[in-house]
Amino acid sequence: MLKALAALFLTLGLTGPAFAQYVDPAVTGAAVTDETPVDAETNIGDRAATGGAPTLEDILRRQQGLSVDDSDRRANTGFDSDVPASGVLGPSGTASDSDQWRALRFDTADVTTVNNGPAAKTLIQDGGMVWLEARDGPLPFWGAVILLGSLALLVIFYVLRGKMRMDHPPTGRRVERFKAIERFGHWLLATSFVVLGVTGLLSLFGRKVFIPIFGHDSFAAVAAASKWVHDNISWAFMLALVMIFFMWVLNNIPDKTDLKWLARGGGMFGGGHPPAKKFNAGQKLIFWAVIVFGGTISLSGLSLLFPFELNLFTKTFGFINDTGVLGWVGLPALPADLAPQEEMALAQIWHAAMALILTAIIFFHIYLGTVGMEGAFDAMGKGDVDEEWAREHHNLWLEKVRQETPEKITEGRA
């Protein structure tokens, strides 16, 4: 997981306190890599020969998005006290101009602004283009691949497998599966997620899809409304996420029964339905995916709702670096000195990426709960299921109900 996290952000070009801009090596003709040796004769890489200034190797590495040691430049931001401040026409200005610009570049200058917010004091940061390129390039492309690919797989599966029907006719006896409060939490989560998904996709794909069809003016009005809806519906999603966690976490703790269920592919292998409790292994995977992805989407969403307050990535990257895990797998340290604007850029990219993955997962959940399996929708639609359906799909749970709460089994319609 940590390796995947590191690879994700290294791919975006995070190589220092600010994003480094990638330049295709074919453009420069350079072939510098992390293993490129230092030329001892020309002192390439020896910053003592340049007074701490960037070397040719630094320039080539930065152009290719590789890590660059800028510790000398960071440290060289003090003023020479022996040179008097003689005004702007003096030999070195009121202070060393290069030192001043380095301090601004690395966010170490003592800046005073009217607005004392954290972002106001960062006067130079170069992460904007990488954020824009990620948002307009790989993020929507791979998002479309994930979503459309998931839908295509479900269509193919339905064509080949068809609807999973019960092996025996319904008994007509109904078993209570979910209480009213449980169904309320589920549908609150489901409806808010759908609204958030639609408005989020409009924000991500609107310029590419909506504007060419409806024009800029229409998109401006729709985008403004979508943002307001997205920001406010998010609270319902977070409330529902907390509700379902506390209502169902005990029934979703993995056990050895789940291993047998997975080994038989939920009944696709070995014949018959594998034993299952109230939630089978597939449902448990969905539950924990919703909790984990929904949780991280909520945290990054809170960071976007309250800009420059949480600083999730600086703290997370620092913790990961301190563990030394990246060094074990041969990866460089993650940037742990991010400008406030870079924090927000990462929060937005992460928020969108995790939401796209969770949306694809929910597609499978929706499929199985509607057209994919006979009788499954009743559980959340009506709160009870036919006894035969319970026996085939959750036999261990049904036996527990018969022994502990037989009053939950009632006569009903077939």
Side-chain angles (χ1 to χ4, degrees), residues 73 76-77 98-108:
R73 297 177 66 208
N76 190 18
T77 57
S98 59
D99 288 349
Q100 180 68 54
W101 283 110
R102 275 194 295 271
L104 292 172
R105 167 67 179 80
F106 294 111
D107 202 21
T108 59

Side-chain angles (χ1 to χ4, degrees), residues 82-376:
D82 295 333
V83 178
S86 55
V88 295
L89 298 180
S92 61
T94 58
S96 172
D97 293 332
S98 59
D99 288 349
Q100 180 68 54
W101 283 110
R102 275 194 295 271
L104 292 172
R105 167 67 179 80
F106 294 111
D107 202 21
T108 59
D110 184 14
V111 177
T112 301
T113 62
V114 176
N115 180 357
N116 291 323
K121 296 183 178 181
T122 302
L123 302 185
I124 299 176
Q125 69 90 22
D126 56 1
M129 286 308 299
V130 172
W131 164 82
L132 181 62
E133 290 169 359
R135 190 186 182 284
D136 289 346
L139 188 61
F141 173 78
W142 288 109
V145 169
I146 291 172
L147 298 183
L148 296 178
S150 299
L151 292 174
L153 286 175
L154 289 174
V155 170
I156 294 172
F157 183 81
Y158 184 79
V159 170
L160 297 178
R161 175 67 171 79
K163 190 169 190 173
M164 291 180 280
R165 300 192 177 278
M166 294 167 55
D167 295 338
H168 302 89
T171 63
R173 292 183 294 275
R174 309 294 294 182
V175 184
E176 181 186 275
R177 183 146 173 81
F178 294 112
K179 297 180 182 297
I181 186 64
E182 294 178 291
R183 286 183 285 136
F184 171 79
H186 171 272
W187 288 116
L188 180 64
L189 186 73
T191 53
S192 61
F193 182 79
V194 170
V195 174
L196 291 170
V198 171
T199 53
L201 289 174
L202 181 64
S203 174
L204 182 60
F205 293 100
R207 291 184 177 275
K208 295 180 180 296
V209 179
F210 195 99
I211 290 179
I213 300 175
F214 299 100
H216 288 80
D217 292 341
S218 297
F219 176 70
V222 172
S226 294
K227 182 184 183 303
W228 186 90
V229 171
H230 194 92
D231 291 348
N232 288 280
I233 290 295
S234 62
W235 300 107
F237 175 81
M238 288 184 277
L239 172 62
L241 193 67
V242 174
M243 288 180 63
I244 67 164
F245 175 79
F246 285 105
M247 289 189 298
W248 295 335
V249 64
L250 294 179
N251 286 314
N252 278 280
I253 297 175
D255 56 35
K256 60 182 181 181
T257 305
D258 301 320
L259 296 177
K260 298 177 181 178
W261 192 94
L262 291 171
R264 294 174 57 180
M268 296 182 66
F269 311 108
H273 298 279
K277 298 181 179 179
K278 183 167 185 176
F279 295 109
N280 59 42
Q283 292 169 322
K284 290 180 180 180
L285 289 174
I286 294 289
F287 173 83
W288 288 112
V290 169
I291 295 300
V292 173
F293 283 98
T296 191
I297 290 169
S298 298
L299 279 176
S300 56
L302 288 171
S303 178
L304 295 171
L305 285 171
F306 302 99
F308 316 119
E309 295 294 334
L310 299 183
N311 296 328
L312 300 174
F313 293 92
T314 295
K315 298 175 183 177
T316 303
F317 290 171
F319 173 77
I320 295 174
N321 291 340
D322 291 341
T323 64
V325 172
L326 298 178
W328 302 343
V329 294
L331 292 173
L334 293 169
D337 184 19
L338 297 168
Q341 293 87 346
E342 293 172 309
E343 278 279 353
M344 299 308 299
L346 282 175
Q348 189 185 71
I349 293 172
W350 180 263
H351 187 78
M354 296 301 100
L356 288 167
I357 295 174
L358 181 58
T359 301
I361 294 173
I362 294 301
F363 281 164
F364 290 89
H365 175 64
I366 294 174
Y367 168 81
L368 290 173
T370 55
V371 300
M373 180 182 294
E374 180 184 11

